Amino acid sequence: MQTSMLPRTLLTRTLTRSLASPARLRLPLRCITTQPQQPSKGWLTQKIESSPTARKWFMAIAKGLGYQSPKQLAGGRAFVLYERVAAPTPDQDPLFWQKECHLPPTFQSWFTVTNLHIWLLTVRLRALPQEHGKYYVQALIDHFFMDVEDRIRTVLQPPLKPSHPYTFISPFYVNPNVPQTDSTSSDPGSEPTSKTKRRGRAPDRIVNRQMKIFKEQWAGMGLSFDLALVKGDREMAAAVWRNLLGGRGARGIAYADSPNGLHYRRAINLVGGEVVNVAKLDVDKEEMRDDGSGVHDFPPSEVDKYVTYPELMLDLVRYVRRELARLEKVSDHDIMAGDWELLKFPSIRDPNL
C-alpha cells in the first residue's frame, strides 16, 4: 500500500528547516525550551549558602526568634486540632445536645460542649513526650480562649457587617444582639442602613468579667473529670450531671403539688464570676431567679424528662471513656504531624462504635 505524500510546499520546507535548526525560528529560544527556568536566588540566600559563618549566624538568630522550635510548631498544630477537631463538635451533634440534653442554643451551651472536647484532647496531649506535651496543651488552651474572647465580643457587640472570626461562625447558638437592618427592607441579607444603630467595641470590663467566668468553668470541668478518671464511672456520671446537664434536680424534683410551690431552680457559681460578696447573697432567692440561660430544673409539667437522665448520663460516660481509649491508640506522630481526621470525634451515639 502506498501512502499519499503531501506536496512539498514552501510552508512545509520552512517548517522542516526551522525544526532542524531552532535558530531559524523568529521566537526566542526560551519559548520552545522544555526545561522550566529556576527563579533567581536572592542576595541573602546566596550569602548563606556560600558562607558557613553566615549560615551559622542566620540559624542562631532564627532559633532565638523561635522559628521551627517545638513551641512554635506546637502552636501551629494545636490550632488545627482546635479549629478542626474540638471547636466543630457542638455543630456535629446539635440534636443530641439541644433536644436530649436540653441545652438551649446559647453561647454558654456551645462553650460547655466544646470545653468537654478540649479536656478530652488535653488528656491525650499530656501523654506526649515532655518536651512537646506541655507546649501542645498550653497552645490548645490558648487557641480555645482566644476564640472564646472573639465570640464574646461578637455576642456583646456584633459588627454591622460580618467580620472574619478567629475560627468560624457556629450555627449551634443564636446571637440575640445581632443588629437589625432597616425594617422597610424585605431582604434578610441586606446591608445595614443609616437608620441602624451604630455599635462600638464591646467594653473590656464586661469582656474580662465574662472571660473570668468561663475560665472558672473550664478549670472546674477539667478538675471534676480528672478526678473521675481516678475514682470511676460513678464520679464520672456525677461530673457529667453537674457540668453538662446543669445539675438539674439537685434540690429535688418540683411537682405540681409541691408544698413550697417551687417551679425551678438553677445552679449558681458562688466562687468568682458574678458573685462578688457571697455573704450578702440570698442563695435561695438567687436560685429561683430566671437568668435567661435556659438551664434550670424542669418545671412540674416537664418532670418526666428526669426519667431519661440515668440513660443519658450512661451514654455520656460511655462516650467519654470510649473516646479516651480511642485517642490513646493514636500515635504521637499522628497527633503532632499526621492526619487530623484520625482525631475527629464521632457522634455520641454512633451505631458503628
Side-chain angles (χ1 to χ4, degrees), residues 86-334:
T89 49
D91 304 324
Q92 292 172 191
D93 212 352
L95 292 180
F96 173 82
W97 296 110
Q98 295 180 0
K99 300 300 182 183
E100 298 193 45
C101 297
H102 305 288
L103 297 180
T106 61
F107 174 68
Q108 171 66 69
S109 298
W110 178 92
F111 176 88
T112 299
V113 177
T114 306
N115 193 18
L116 169 66
H117 294 88
I118 289 291
W119 176 80
L120 288 170
L121 285 178
T122 299
V123 173
R124 177 61 184 88
L125 295 178
R126 290 176 192 160
L128 292 175
Q130 184 177 3
E131 63 272 18
H132 299 289
K134 58 181 180 179
Y135 294 132
Y136 273 81
V137 171
Q138 187 60 57
L140 179 67
I141 296 171
D142 288 345
H143 288 305
F144 178 37
F145 277 98
M146 283 189 283
D147 190 29
V148 167
E149 180 178 356
D150 180 70
R151 292 175 185 272
I152 289 175
R153 293 186 182 277
T154 303
V155 169
L156 293 176
Q157 294 283 31
L160 292 178
K161 295 183 179 180
S163 59
H164 185 69
Y166 186 75
T167 51
F168 55 86
I169 299 175
S170 172
F172 185 83
Y173 62 92
V174 179
N175 188 345
N177 299 320
V178 173
Q180 299 296 322
T181 57
D182 188 356
S183 59
T184 60
S185 175
S186 60
D187 183 8
S190 60
E191 291 291 331
T193 65
S194 58
K195 295 182 180 181
T196 305
K197 183 179 179 181
R198 299 292 173 180
R199 293 175 177 265
R201 190 170 181 265
D204 288 338
R205 176 180 59 84
I206 299 178
V207 173
N208 292 337
R209 185 177 67 181
Q210 294 297 318
M211 289 292 291
K212 182 179 179 181
I213 294 173
F214 285 121
K215 180 182 177 182
E216 291 167 356
Q217 293 180 10
W218 162 77
M221 178 182 285
L223 288 174
S224 63
F225 276 91
D226 282 344
L227 178 64
L229 283 179
V230 179
K231 300 192 68 173
D233 288 347
R234 184 167 60 179
E235 187 68 31
M236 181 74 73
V240 165
W241 171 65
R242 292 193 307 269
N243 292 276
L244 301 178
L245 303 179
R248 293 185 175 102
R251 294 289 196 94
I253 299 176
Y255 295 96
D257 56 351
S258 296
N260 52 14
L262 298 181
H263 281 205
Y264 62 77
R265 287 182 179 272
R266 67 182 181 92
I268 59 173
N269 183 13
L270 294 178
V271 182
E274 296 180 342
V275 179
V276 178
N277 192 337
V278 178
K280 295 182 178 180
L281 180 69
D282 187 339
V283 177
D284 290 333
K285 182 178 180 180
E286 190 66 21
E287 285 181 341
M288 289 300 298
R289 183 178 66 83
D290 186 0
D291 63 346
S293 66
V295 181
H296 49 68
D297 288 357
F298 296 120
S301 60
E302 300 178 358
V303 293
D304 58 326
K305 294 180 179 178
Y306 286 114
V307 176
T308 64
Y309 259 40
E311 182 180 356
L312 185 62
M313 287 188 285
L314 178 61
D315 288 340
L316 286 169
V317 169
R318 283 175 175 170
Y319 173 74
V320 171
R321 294 291 188 185
R322 183 188 74 201
E323 289 307 296
L324 288 175
R326 181 182 66 85
L327 292 174
E328 184 180 7
K329 297 177 182 178
V330 180
S331 67
D332 291 347
H333 174 269
D334 287 332

Side-chain angles (χ1 to χ4, degrees), residues 56-72:
K56 178 181 177 181
W57 279 103
F58 178 81
M59 296 304 296
I61 294 173
K63 183 178 180 180
L65 295 175
Y67 180 71
Q68 293 294 306
S69 66
K71 185 176 182 179
Q72 190 249 357

